[in-house]
Amino acid sequence: MSKIKPSKGAPFARIMGVGGYRPTRVVPNEVILEKIDSSDEWIRSRSGISTRHWASDEETVTAMSVEAAGKAIADAGLTPEQIGGVIVSTVSHFKQTPAVATEIADKIGAVKPAAFDISAGCAGFGYGLTLAKGMIVEGSAEYVLVIGVERLSDLTDLEDRATAFLFGDGAGAVVVGPADEPGIARTVWGSEGDKSETIKQTVPWTQYDSSGKFPAITQEGQAVFRWAVFEMAKVAQQALDAAGISADDLDVFIPHQANMRIIDSMVKTLKLPEHVTVARDVETTGNTSAASIPLAMERLLATGQAKSGDTALVIGFGAGLVYAATVVTLP
């Protein structure tokens, strides 16, 4: 018989606060067209993107994360000293070690929190949210900061007609804390590694010198589109089922901001009612991978399109191919 005593965590977890940071430089499609043979009309019709934000040298992964984190902590009514865990999802922090989460934790003033990075591409925020919930219910932390942050402009091939217009930079953060009733439902997540070549880095870092070209993100657009529309709609429905609700019970839908056509197709496939507010932050922010869901969530709440207490379905999907979907109560 085990001598280990059961842990005493919270019965449930919820999102308590949200914050975002978008770089100051706004890049319209006209700038992208300087390097590729395309048109503003083509980019808008294929992706729905009109502008994106690109970071300056000073707007590092750490700096953007600190700004977003500070807003999320304040929004939650907490102080940095109360944060017991920092989880950062990113694919654009170019140091293998140490984890950028440790640097961010120090800069925001957290006191010896658990701190680590995860790499789950555009599903990274959902992965981080699930881990944070587990930490709180298990009792290893009372409040956990989850950050999705990317500088994808560093990984963009501006001469690649298929991807040059897609990516943007930014950071989004939420604070997850204890709750007396469910605020984050069971996550439906997984991976399809047999499709890992559809979204990938062009060359490994070890081949960078010999290739003579900085690694970039590339993808098979049509294959990704079909997978996202048909397979991820199924995952989204599974998340609704796991939460014990139907589409009619939703107030808000916050999918990964990959492409407007994907978002609109998912809305149609899921047969979402007209009263459901749909995040379409991709139009002015572009695809910010792990940062896209918290950034979209922050904007919906800031503009009044969504309100505290709303029930929202969130789903992220991307390189791996990986995915994560859950239903949450908005802070």
Side-chain angles (χ1 to χ4, degrees):
M1 180 179 293
S2 174
K3 296 180 180 179
I4 299 173
K5 295 181 180 179
S7 58
K8 297 181 179 179
F12 305 105
R14 66 186 176 101
I15 299 175
M16 299 179 62
V18 61
Y21 180 83
R22 292 172 171 81
T24 55
R25 183 187 177 194
V26 177
V27 180
N29 288 338
E30 285 73 21
V31 172
I32 306 299
L33 295 172
E34 294 173 4
K35 295 288 185 71
I36 60 171
D37 180 18
S38 188
S39 67
D40 177 66
E41 181 183 3
W42 187 89
I43 293 174
R44 288 174 185 260
S45 65
R46 299 292 291 182
S47 69
I49 298 171
S50 59
T51 61
R52 72 284 295 147
H53 295 256
W54 282 356
S56 66
D57 290 343
E58 292 74 29
E59 292 169 316
T60 63
V61 164
T62 298
M64 293 190 293
S65 296
V66 168
E67 289 292 328
K71 294 175 183 177
I73 294 169
D75 191 46
L78 301 175
T79 63
E81 293 82 5
Q82 293 175 274
I83 300 298
V86 178
I87 303 171
V88 177
S89 179
T90 184
V91 299
S92 47
H93 175 62
F94 298 145
K95 277 187 180 179
Q96 191 71 37
T97 192
V100 72
T102 59
E103 180 182 357
I104 294 166
D106 178 64
K107 289 187 178 296
I108 65 173
V111 182
K112 298 183 179 179
F116 57 95
D117 299 349
I118 58 175
S119 176
C122 305
F125 176 74
Y127 275 55
L129 192 65
T130 304
L131 293 172
K133 173 188 173 183
M135 292 166 70
I136 291 160
V137 173
E138 186 266 345
S140 60
E142 187 173 12
Y143 302 105
V144 179
L145 179 67
V146 180
I147 301 170
V149 57
E150 302 292 2
R151 274 182 56 117
L152 294 182
S153 57
D154 292 334
L155 289 168
T156 299
D157 181 352
L158 294 178
E159 297 179 351
D160 181 358
R161 188 173 183 270
T163 62
F165 57 89
L166 286 176
F167 302 118
D169 304 335
V174 299
V175 172
V176 182
D180 294 326
E181 58 183 14
I184 303 172
R186 178 170 64 84
T187 299
V188 176
W189 56 355
S191 64
E192 297 185 33
D194 60 316
K195 300 179 180 66
S196 61
E197 290 294 300
T198 56
I199 305 175
K200 63 181 181 179
Q201 186 172 305
T202 49
V203 296
W205 294 111
T206 52
Q207 295 179 18
Y208 167 42
D209 290 338
S210 60
S211 72
K213 193 170 185 179
F214 197 77
I217 297 173
T218 185
Q219 69 176 27
E220 298 174 16
Q222 286 302 313
V224 172
F225 180 86
R226 288 193 297 270
W227 176 78
V229 170
F230 297 109
E231 297 304 318
M232 291 306 97
K234 298 176 186 176
V235 171
Q237 183 59 55
Q238 290 169 15
L240 291 175
D241 295 340
I245 65 173
S246 69
D248 290 336
D249 298 313
L250 279 180
D251 300 303
V252 185
F253 178 44
I254 311 178
H256 164 49
Q257 301 294 293
N259 179 304
M260 194 75 78
R261 291 170 64 215
I262 291 175
I263 294 171
D264 290 341
S265 295
M266 289 183 71
V267 168
K268 183 178 180 179
T269 302
L270 287 167
K271 298 179 180 179
L272 295 184
E274 290 187 6
H275 74 262
V276 176
T277 297
V278 179
R280 291 187 170 89
D281 195 44
V282 66
E283 179 181 0
T284 56
T285 306
N287 180 344
T288 56
S289 188
S292 78
I293 290 175
L295 278 174
M297 182 184 296
E298 184 264 350
R299 175 162 281 175
L300 288 176
L301 289 166
T303 58
Q305 297 176 71
K307 63 183 185 300
S308 175
D310 278 353
T311 299
L313 169 63
V314 298
I315 179 170
F317 44 86
L321 293 169
V322 297
Y323 55 87
T326 188
V327 174
V328 304
T329 301
L330 295 182

